[in-house]
Amino acid sequence: MHLTIAEAAARTGLSVHTLRYYERDGLLLREVDRSPTGHRRYCEDDISWITLITCLRATGMPIRDVSRYAQLVREGAGNERERLELLQTHRLAVLAQLAQVTAHLSAIDAKVEAYSSQTV
């Protein structure tokens, strides 16, 4: 199965521009396959990887860390500890963000409850 860049964009929820940026910035695991006419052809592995890095970006991982992670994966076996450390560090940052958002939500919920009781 091969997808055009437009199909890959639709499938991942990213723009064509973002996919090209990810490719140009070295965030993908391999060079995207090309058709004989030079059009990009994304495979299922490309889509899976793009989905993962989209998740990392959406949770605030800096591009430089995503790039480092991609580089480590491309290098293959032997650097799993460094990959793990990178992901664990990011996980802790996401947990801290989640705790902060949860606290903010509690404050909003308190206000909603206060206003709801006044209007009933």
Side-chain angles (χ1 to χ4, degrees), residues 43-120:
C43 69
E44 197 58 43
D45 287 344
D46 297 325
I47 300 301
S48 294
W49 179 257
I50 291 165
T51 300
L52 173 62
I53 64 174
T54 299
C55 176
L56 295 174
R57 289 292 300 136
T59 55
M61 182 180 271
I63 289 285
R64 73 178 176 281
D65 290 346
V66 175
S67 181
R68 178 68 183 140
Y69 182 65
Q71 177 187 357
L72 290 169
V73 173
R74 278 192 302 269
E75 289 174 2
N79 59 26
E80 290 81 3
R81 179 162 305 284
E82 191 173 349
R83 292 185 218 177
L84 178 62
E85 289 171 3
L86 190 73
L87 292 174
Q88 285 176 327
T89 298
H90 181 63
R91 182 178 185 279
L92 291 175
V94 171
L95 286 171
Q97 290 171 359
L98 184 58
Q100 186 177 34
V101 169
T102 301
H104 294 322
L105 180 59
S106 292
I108 293 167
D109 286 343
K111 285 297 182 186
V112 166
E113 186 176 326
Y115 290 126
S116 294
S117 66
Q118 290 177 2
T119 60
V120 174

Side-chain angles (χ1 to χ4, degrees), residues 5-78:
I5 193 167
E7 292 167 334
R11 180 104 174 265
T12 61
L14 299 174
S15 69
V16 168
H17 173 77
T18 299
L19 289 175
R20 286 187 184 125
Y21 170 76
Y22 281 3
E23 185 179 345
R24 194 173 50 250
D25 220 39
L27 301 180
L28 302 184
L29 290 183
R30 62 177 186 82
E31 191 172 315
V32 175
D33 189 35
R34 300 282 183 142
S35 71
T37 58
H39 293 96
R40 288 172 176 84
R41 297 189 310 186
Y42 291 84
C43 69
E44 197 58 43
D45 287 344
D46 297 325
I47 300 301
S48 294
W49 179 257
I50 291 165
T51 300
L52 173 62
I53 64 174
T54 299
C55 176
L56 295 174
R57 289 292 300 136
T59 55
M61 182 180 271
I63 289 285
R64 73 178 176 281
D65 290 346
V66 175
S67 181
R68 178 68 183 140
Y69 182 65
Q71 177 187 357
L72 290 169
V73 173
R74 278 192 302 269
E75 289 174 2

